[in-house]
Amino acid sequence: MVEIEIDGKKVEVQEGSMVMDAANKLGTYIPHFCYHKKLSIAANCRMCLVEVEKAPKPLPACATPVAPGMIVRSHSEKAVKAQKGVMEFLLINHPLDCPICDQGGECQLQDLAVGYGDSSSRYAEEKRVVVPKDVGPLISMQEMSRCIHCTRCVRFGQEIAGVMEFGMLNRGEHSEITAFVGKTVDSELSGNMIDLCPVGALTSKPFRYSARTWELSRRKSVSPHDSIGANLIVQVKAGKVMRVLPLENDDVNECWISDKDRFSYEALNSAERLTAPMIKQGGQWQETDWQTALEYVAHGLRNIKHEHGASAIAALAASHSTLEELSLLQKLVRGIGSENIDFRLRQSDFSLDASVKPWLGMSINEFGALKRAFVIGSFLRKDHPLLSARLRLAVKKGASLSILHATDDDLLMPIANKMIKAPSDWLAALGEVIVAVAQARGIAAPAGYEKIEASTEAKQIAASLLSGEPKAVLLGNAVLQHPQAAKLHAAAQWIAQNTEAKFGFLTEAANTVGGYVANALPGANGSNAAQAFEQPHKAYVLLHTEPEFDSFNPQVARNALSQAEMVVVMSPFKQGADYADVMLPIAPFSETSGTFVNAEGRAQSFNGTVKPLGDTRPAWKVLRVLGNLLDLNGFDYETSEAVRNEILGTSVPADANLQSRLNNIGNTAPQAVVSAAGMQLERVADVSIYATDAITRRSEPLQQTTDGAAPKARLSADLAGKLGVVAGDKVTVKQGNGTATLAVAIDAALPVNVVRVAAGRQETADLGAMFGSISVEKA
């Protein structure tokens, strides 16, 4: 440690720290623009000049290393004169557009100009003008004349997002920040550049000119999308969500959020919002009141129970539903006498049900500190943008990442070892890694693995896992969606246990872990999500889910729903009009209180940020009233907190850790299989990042991005050659009794016999299962 003195106060900091770090530790504010605690040091704004004793001139606090006995003055006459000089230079070319600037009221330059700027300028020449650029639907670069070249946006792209989408062009007064020629900004974390910009040169396109910062109320919330549970600040004006920003929490999302979390709010005020209960009568939809709608539902469920038995009723929820909603839904279904309740709609193999309640297997901070990771079956960047960013920083610091997947996507970080195999070969590939681990450790492989030869890649992955600490074997979304999920789990578990690595799941959605905690799972004789559709039931209650986009096999789901006597849709949006009988408008995350349990088992509660739109009601209240109408016991809750306390226990704090209730370890032994070198075409389905749930699917800015574009049939060059197609041609993709006509994209990252077709999209909703055989022909 090194002791230095700043403005008369002594402070100890780590050797190699900068003066700025010491000042931050003391709580002394030094003005700055380019410095940011999560980014590398650039020292190009010079606003943080300070006086250092015995130094011939003022030095930048952000780039001056501490030395023993150093004496620093941050507010001396010499320091302030230097800071004011820098401010004068910064303002020479800055446009005088504060009254119409979107950043007004939260602008660092504005704040510091009050303390360090002059009341008039000595500069009378014309100001420079920078041509605006169009970089896509999320970020506006209309006012780049305001840019002060702090390069925070450039550094964020390179260091955190992993892709350099902005750069500096030209020199001197001709310098400007720009995107690459003709390119848009497509990173899934790009919106953070808007927050980082200290002057309003980069602004939010959807939010531009819609409100002033001082008109907005700020309310805390939790992201309803991916599994990390990013902490949010939801900004509200006149009962409408206007903007969503990150709330800093170093243990969860640091100070970042993904674009999905940031811009999905645009759907909350979309024309597709359902604002009053609706009942279908004679094929026509009629608006009605809550009393009539709920009595209709209760009467219908009673009738079906009476005529076909309680087991003819099934309830399915999205894993973005809150802990309270899932708990009351399972309680309602069980109260009726049915055990058919599930939230794992994209899963197909349920043989792990008895033993496993998946979670990350470690804290998010521990995940970010891994030295060795083996990730199996994950579209890492798009499925888990913020976890991917943590892993990227770990790799930068020397961690080694190995992957097994069906696509060799660019994860924007160096991959030490990779096995790119068709989904049907994943089990055989893990078998090779098992044999390689056994050989390297000199132990016996499990029974049945005697004849399996380890490939070079498998040996490298085994060597990597046996070489460093801490380490983890992690299963992605595609493993849980895989038809052989239980066998893949057993093989991966053996590898983790025998390399002494942690073992975990990169869980899919905001409350996937919470679904297990709430026990929204089928009972002993209940139907799981797959069986609920494969063996059509007479009545379905759907909570927050669109089965035609959210199911493992949308064909089967649509078929079952169209045959049902009664389908109750509980959603914030008008959906399922062709198969539903009742639509109940329930509140999205912004209009209700509740709890999400993230991947690390952290329960995070939040309150509604705006009043429910129209006649919308929180789903937990709707389920409570339904319970009362059906004369069920235990439905007399006054608040959502009462429901939460019943599940978690009354003494549990708001961000409780529920790891003791979760378990990744199954009790099945790994089974050896040999790779079947078949050339049958098989599908791998990613759920595109902006099609994961009902809210993101309806956010217009997100749907206008590159990731929101219509899905393509991605083929290997070999397969395209055999079919006689080139990129941009149309092909007909067939699965089961459904077809889709899609444009071709040639993807060098795919195995020869794999076709990548996205799920969760309108264009592919007629196709069958997310994995399995598929046929492709030229259209």
Side-chain angles (χ1 to χ4, degrees):
M1 299 292 277
V2 175
E3 187 179 79
I4 72 165
E5 184 186 301
I6 300 181
D7 297 338
K9 296 177 188 166
K10 287 191 163 47
V11 63
E12 274 197 354
V13 287
Q14 207 76 39
E15 202 174 336
S17 299
M18 301 295 153
V19 170
M20 185 71 93
D21 301 322
N24 287 343
K25 191 171 179 183
L26 266 180
T28 300
Y29 180 74
I30 297 176
H32 61 270
F33 293 111
C34 69
Y35 169 80
H36 190 277
K37 62 183 176 182
K38 296 284 183 190
L39 302 175
S40 64
I41 293 162
N44 42 8
C45 76
R46 316 308 278 182
M47 191 64 213
C48 62
L49 292 175
V50 291
E51 183 185 352
V52 178
E53 204 167 82
K54 296 187 180 143
K57 59 183 181 182
L59 299 175
C62 70
T64 303
V66 293
M70 184 185 254
I71 295 173
V72 177
R73 298 182 187 91
S74 69
H75 293 89
S76 67
E77 193 182 337
K78 188 176 180 182
V80 171
K81 188 180 176 189
Q83 291 158 0
K84 285 188 169 181
V86 170
M87 178 56 77
E88 184 174 16
F89 277 122
L90 286 176
L91 292 177
I92 277 177
N93 271 313
H94 198 78
L96 297 172
D97 60 356
C98 292
I100 61 134
C101 176
D102 245 10
Q103 195 94 345
E106 51 188 9
C107 171
Q108 262 180 283
L109 187 68
Q110 209 176 40
D111 294 345
L112 293 178
V114 172
Y116 299 90
D118 239 330
S119 54
S120 59
S121 174
R122 293 186 283 176
Y123 184 82
E125 285 77 6
E126 281 182 19
K127 290 181 181 276
R128 77 182 196 131
V129 174
V130 180
V131 179
K133 295 140 191 103
D134 184 11
V135 289
L138 304 180
I139 298 177
S140 168
M141 292 182 84
Q142 288 300 303
E143 285 92 11
M144 287 310 287
S145 301
R146 296 172 186 158
C147 178
I148 59 167
H149 306 148
C150 70
T151 66
R152 279 183 179 184
C153 54
V154 179
R155 284 175 286 147
F156 172 83
Q158 286 177 294
E159 295 161 24
I160 310 294
V163 55
M164 186 173 172
E165 293 183 296
F166 282 144
M168 179 86 86
L169 203 64
N170 305 324
R171 302 192 65 175
E173 74 158 335
H174 302 294
S175 302
E176 55 180 287
I177 299 284
T178 181
F180 288 89
V181 183
K183 291 282 175 87
T184 54
V185 171
D186 298 324
S187 161
E188 56 283 356
L189 298 169
S190 67
N192 293 295
M193 299 194 221
I194 300 167
D195 296 343
L196 286 172
C197 182
V199 296
L202 303 178
T203 51
S204 162
K205 241 185 204 176
F207 174 70
R208 265 169 76 79
Y209 298 138
S210 58
R212 287 308 212 162
T213 177
W214 54 84
E215 301 174 315
L216 302 169
S217 318
R218 288 159 179 74
R219 285 150 199 181
K220 293 179 185 178
S221 192
V222 177
S223 160
H225 304 300
D226 59 22
S227 61
I228 198 169
N231 291 197
L232 309 177
I233 292 174
V234 177
Q235 299 193 331
V236 174
K237 177 185 174 185
K240 186 177 167 186
V241 175
M242 303 301 287
R243 184 163 64 159
V244 172
L245 298 174
L247 173 64
E248 189 169 340
N249 183 342
D250 257 349
D251 295 334
V252 181
N253 55 307
E254 301 175 281
C255 51
W256 319 122
I257 53 173
S258 67
D259 289 355
K260 181 161 48 167
D261 299 334
R262 185 183 298 271
F263 296 107
S264 65
Y265 76 88
E266 283 284 302
L268 301 174
N269 306 308
S270 87
E272 285 187 56
R273 276 298 297 269
L274 179 65
T275 53
M278 298 182 85
I279 294 177
K280 193 191 278 180
Q281 290 178 323
Q284 297 296 310
W285 282 100
Q286 310 282 335
E287 282 195 5
T288 183
D289 58 89
W290 271 104
Q291 186 72 24
T292 310
L294 290 176
E295 281 174 359
Y296 181 86
V297 172
H299 180 70
L301 293 176
R302 268 203 203 93
N303 272 2
I304 285 164
K305 179 182 175 179
H306 178 66
E307 287 172 26
H308 306 284
S311 60
I313 299 168
L316 297 161
S319 37
H320 304 86
S321 313
T322 66
L323 189 67
E324 293 80 355
E325 291 164 1
L326 289 171
S327 176
L328 289 182
L329 184 65
Q330 65 88 20
K331 199 169 176 181
L332 180 87
V333 172
R334 293 194 159 99
I336 293 169
S338 167
E339 290 288 340
N340 308 327
I341 163 82
D342 210 344
F343 65 95
R344 302 160 299 170
L345 275 78
R346 292 197 179 106
Q347 207 164 307
S348 59
D349 174 11
F350 294 86
S351 1
L352 287 170
D353 273 14
S355 51
V356 171
K357 291 182 176 174
W359 68 293
L360 188 58
M362 64 199 90
S363 73
I364 291 169
N365 281 331
E366 287 174 308
F367 175 87
L370 289 173
K371 285 277 174 273
R372 299 286 181 270
F374 180 25
V375 177
I376 303 162
S378 177
F379 297 94
L380 198 56
R381 251 182 81 190
K382 305 299 179 182
D383 287 349
H384 309 284
L386 291 167
L387 285 178
S388 186
R390 291 230 183 199
L391 203 50
R392 192 172 294 123
L393 288 178
V395 169
K396 220 175 224 178
K397 291 174 187 166
S400 167
L401 172 63
S402 307
I403 60 166
L404 163 62
H405 200 25
T407 69
D408 189 6
D409 289 356
D410 183 3
L411 299 180
L412 305 177
M413 60 184 118
I415 312 291
N417 313 291
K418 50 187 156 195
M419 296 174 88
I420 306 301
K421 305 277 185 184
S424 59
D425 285 337
W426 289 0
L427 194 54
L430 287 180
E432 291 178 21
V433 179
I434 286 176
V435 170
V437 169
Q439 285 170 356
R441 288 199 56 207
I443 57 173
Y449 283 84
E450 298 79 14
K451 292 178 184 168
I452 291 177
E453 283 288 313
S455 63
T456 312
E457 294 97 329
K459 286 176 181 168
Q460 286 167 343
I461 290 172
S464 170
L465 281 173
L466 289 165
S467 66
E469 289 280 343
K471 53 197 165 189
V473 175
L474 298 155
L475 304 181
N477 296 356
V479 171
L480 273 177
Q481 293 156 1
H482 198 286
Q484 294 175 305
K487 291 177 181 173
L488 291 168
H489 175 275
Q493 181 181 308
W494 190 95
I495 294 166
Q497 287 171 337
N498 286 279
T499 55
E500 293 173 1
K502 291 191 168 177
F503 182 47
F505 288 81
L506 300 166
T507 55
E508 184 179 12
N511 204 29
T512 302
V513 177
Y516 290 91
V517 175
N519 193 29
L521 301 161
N525 302 314
S527 302
N528 57 45
Q531 292 162 341
F533 291 134
E534 282 160 9
Q535 304 141 16
H537 290 61
K538 295 294 178 188
Y540 290 94
V541 179
L542 305 177
L543 175 66
H544 283 297
T545 180
E546 300 175 89
E548 62 268 44
F549 302 129
D550 296 338
S551 301
F552 176 75
N553 191 329
Q555 260 175 37
V556 174
R558 286 295 291 262
N559 184 38
L561 292 167
S562 58
Q563 289 179 42
E565 288 180 21
M566 183 179 196
V567 178
V568 181
V569 167
M570 299 175 68
S571 170
F573 303 101
K574 292 172 185 159
Q575 64 179 60
D578 48 346
Y579 55 73
D581 297 281
V582 192
M583 287 198 256
L584 303 177
I586 57 167
F589 79 104
S590 56
E591 297 167 19
T592 184
S593 53
T595 305
F596 291 133
V597 184
N598 74 356
E600 64 175 346
R602 180 191 296 257
Q604 301 186 100
S605 293
F606 56 93
N607 290 317
T609 53
V610 289
K611 280 200 178 105
L613 191 66
D615 268 347
T616 302
R617 294 287 177 270
W620 72 266
K621 286 188 179 179
V622 175
L623 290 164
R624 183 199 67 193
V625 176
L626 255 180
N628 295 336
L629 288 173
L630 289 163
D631 301 323
L632 304 178
N633 290 329
F635 277 83
D636 45 4
Y637 304 100
E638 292 292 315
T639 61
S640 66
E641 287 77 18
V643 187
R644 180 194 70 201
N645 293 345
E646 184 179 277
I647 310 161
L648 302 184
T650 43
S651 58
V652 174
D655 61 347
N657 200 315
L658 306 177
Q659 293 174 2
S660 58
R661 302 192 191 186
L662 307 167
N663 167 47
N664 290 328
I665 306 302
N667 44 22
T668 45
Q671 290 179 28
V673 294
V674 180
S675 174
M679 279 311 296
Q680 186 186 17
L681 289 188
E682 49 183 289
R683 176 183 180 185
V684 62
D686 55 316
V687 180
S688 44
I689 183 170
Y690 303 137
T692 49
D693 57 86
I695 297 177
T696 48
R697 282 192 279 265
R698 288 169 175 80
S699 167
E700 229 160 87
L702 293 180
Q703 296 313 319
Q704 290 163 7
T705 59
T706 306
D707 279 319
K712 295 180 174 174
R714 297 188 172 274
L715 318 171
S716 65
D718 280 21
L719 180 55
K722 282 180 191 161
L723 293 169
V725 292
V726 294
D729 286 357
K730 292 272 197 260
V731 287
T732 303
V733 180
K734 286 184 185 167
Q735 231 188 339
N737 52 10
T739 61
T741 303
L742 304 170
V744 169
I746 308 296
D747 192 341
L750 288 173
V752 180
N753 61 325
V754 170
V755 181
R756 178 173 173 177
V757 180
R761 299 294 303 255
Q762 186 69 57
E763 298 88 341
T764 58
D766 287 339
L767 295 175
M770 292 173 73
F771 291 90
S773 64
I774 191 168
S775 72
V776 183
E777 54 192 54
K778 194 170 180 176

